[in-house]
Amino acid sequence: MIAVLAGGVGAARLLAGLVRVVPPSEVTAVVNTGDDVVMHGLHICPDLDTVTYTLAGADNPDTGWGLAGETWQAMGSLGRYGGETWFNLGDLDLGTHLYRTGHLAAGVGLAEVTAGITAGWGLEPTLLPMTEDRVATMMTLADGSGGGDEVGFQEYFVRLRHDVPVSSVRFDGAEASLPGPGVLDAIAGADVVVVAPSNPIVSIGPLLAVPGIADAIRARRDHTVAISPIIAGAALKGPADRLMRELGHEASVVGVARIYRDIAACLVIDSADADLAGAVEAEGMACVVTDTVMSSPEVAADLAKVVLGATS
Ligand code: FO1
C-alpha cells in the first residue's frame, strides 16, 4: 500500500503517474481540505476534486482545476442577479458540489461522500479527506496590502490572485479537528508514504496541523519520501516560493528539506537542483535527483518509480 499526502495539481499529477506503476487499488491519497469553501451554500473541496478529475482523465488542461469541456452558463446567470462570481463554478463541476452538499446536509460524512464521488468516476484509488471537521486555511495580509486583514484561502488565491504579501498563515479549527476516517491507518499501514510536490505551507501544512497526522508520519519517517515542489528556487505553479520567502523560509530545495526533515527520510529534487543535493543531505535527509516536472503521465510514472525506489 502507498499513502500519498496530497494537495491539488502537483499531487494529482503524481497520483496519475503512480497508478501506472502500482495497482491503483493500492493507492490512498490523504487530501488537504483546508482550501474548502462554501460558496452560494455549496460545499466545494478544490483539492479533492482536482485529484478526482485528474485521476479520471477529466481534468481541465486550460485551468488546472475543474473539468474538461466546461461551460459557465450558471455563472452568467448568477452574475445577472449581481451574485458573487469571482470564484468560478463551471456547469459540469456544479453537479459534484450539489451531490456533496446534499449528502453532507443529510448527515453523510465527507469521507463517504468522497467515496461516492470517486465511485461515480470509476476510480480505484482511495481518496481520504484529511479530516471531516472544518479546518480553514487563513492568510493574514502583510502591511500595505490590506494591512493585517485576515482572509480565507480562496479569497487570497483566487480573488486576490495570490498577488499580495502574506505575514502569517493559520489553520482555523485544526486544533480541535480529528483525522478523517482511515487516515491514520493508511499512514501506519503504508509500505511507502509519499509527500506529494504540493505547497508545503498551504497544502501539506494543513494536513500536518490535524492532531495525530504529523505524529503518524513521523513514526513512519524511514518509509516517507517527499518530493520538492520548488525547482530552481521557484514553484512551477502557484505561490509556494513566494509564501515560503514571506514566511521566513528559504525558497529552495534546502528550505523544503528544513520543513520536511522531521517527517521524511528522503527528499526527491529536480535535476535542475542537482548541485544542492549535498546541502539537502546536510539537513539530515537522503536526496535523490531526477526529473520532477510532470509534463505527461508517462513522466509522472517515471518519477513515481524513482520515489517508490527511494526508501528501499
Ligand atoms: N482557481 C482559480 O484560479 N479561479 C477560480 O475561479 C477557481 C474556481 C474553482 C472552483 C472549483 C474548484 O474545485 C477549484 C477552483 N479553483 C479556481 C482552483 C482552486 O482555487 C485551487 O486549485 C486550489 O484551492 C489550490 O490548490
Side-chain angles (χ1 to χ4, degrees):
M1 299 300 283
I2 316 293
V4 180
L5 308 191
V9 180
R13 293 202 176 143
L14 178 77
L15 285 158
L18 192 56
V19 296
R20 292 176 164 238
V21 298
V22 296
S25 58
E26 291 186 10
V27 174
T28 298
V30 179
V31 184
N32 171 40
T33 58
D35 295 9
D36 291 11
V37 65
V38 174
M39 294 292 298
H40 322 294
L42 297 175
H43 190 113
I44 296 145
C45 299
D47 285 353
L48 279 166
D49 290 347
T50 296
V51 171
T52 299
Y53 297 160
T54 304
L55 283 172
D59 53 305
N60 187 327
D62 299 329
T63 55
W65 50 270
L67 283 158
E70 191 56 279
T71 54
W72 307 96
Q73 306 240 36
M75 280 285 112
S77 177
L78 183 62
R80 180 187 300 276
Y81 310 123
E84 268 190 284
T85 54
W86 59 267
F87 194 75
N88 293 286
L89 297 174
D91 301 330
L92 298 172
D93 193 28
L94 271 172
T96 306
H97 311 314
L98 292 173
Y99 174 86
R100 177 184 295 120
T101 304
H103 281 73
L104 288 175
V108 182
L110 184 59
E112 194 179 334
V113 175
T114 303
I117 292 170
T118 55
W121 287 99
L123 299 186
E124 288 181 65
T126 303
L127 305 194
L128 300 177
M130 67 182 198
T131 181
E132 293 194 321
D133 299 318
R134 180 192 159 280
V135 173
T137 299
M138 305 295 297
M139 326 285 290
T140 300
L141 307 183
D143 290 344
S145 63
D149 287 353
E150 191 177 51
V151 297
F153 179 79
Q154 295 301 343
E155 273 207 76
Y156 161 77
F157 192 86
V158 176
R159 193 171 68 74
L160 300 171
R161 299 167 199 271
H162 50 78
D163 194 21
V164 288
V166 164
S167 59
S168 67
V169 173
R170 71 183 181 98
F171 308 113
D172 190 49
E175 277 171 29
S177 69
L178 293 174
V183 167
L184 297 183
D185 287 346
I187 294 166
D191 301 304
V192 181
V193 178
V194 181
V195 182
S198 300
N199 187 318
I201 311 276
V202 290
S203 295
I204 303 300
L207 279 151
L208 300 178
V210 174
I213 295 187
D215 283 346
I217 302 166
R218 233 172 261 127
R220 307 301 320 288
R221 183 181 182 276
D222 289 350
H223 298 269
T224 301
V225 183
I227 305 163
S228 175
I230 300 292
I231 299 176
L236 280 183
K237 194 173 187 296
D241 51 349
R242 178 175 180 162
L243 273 178
M244 284 178 73
R245 270 192 302 277
E246 287 169 357
L247 298 176
H249 302 276
E250 186 179 308
S252 73
V253 292
V254 179
V256 174
R258 287 181 191 137
I259 295 175
Y260 288 147
R261 64 185 165 195
D262 289 343
I263 58 162
C266 178
L267 184 67
V268 176
I269 66 172
D270 191 75
S271 310
D273 288 311
D275 57 336
L276 290 173
V280 167
E281 283 167 353
E283 297 298 331
M285 298 179 89
C287 185
V288 172
V289 181
T290 190
D291 293 338
T292 65
V293 181
M294 293 176 280
S295 47
S296 70
E298 293 75 24
V299 178
D302 289 342
L303 172 60
K305 269 187 224 154
V306 171
V307 168
L308 295 183
T311 56
S312 52

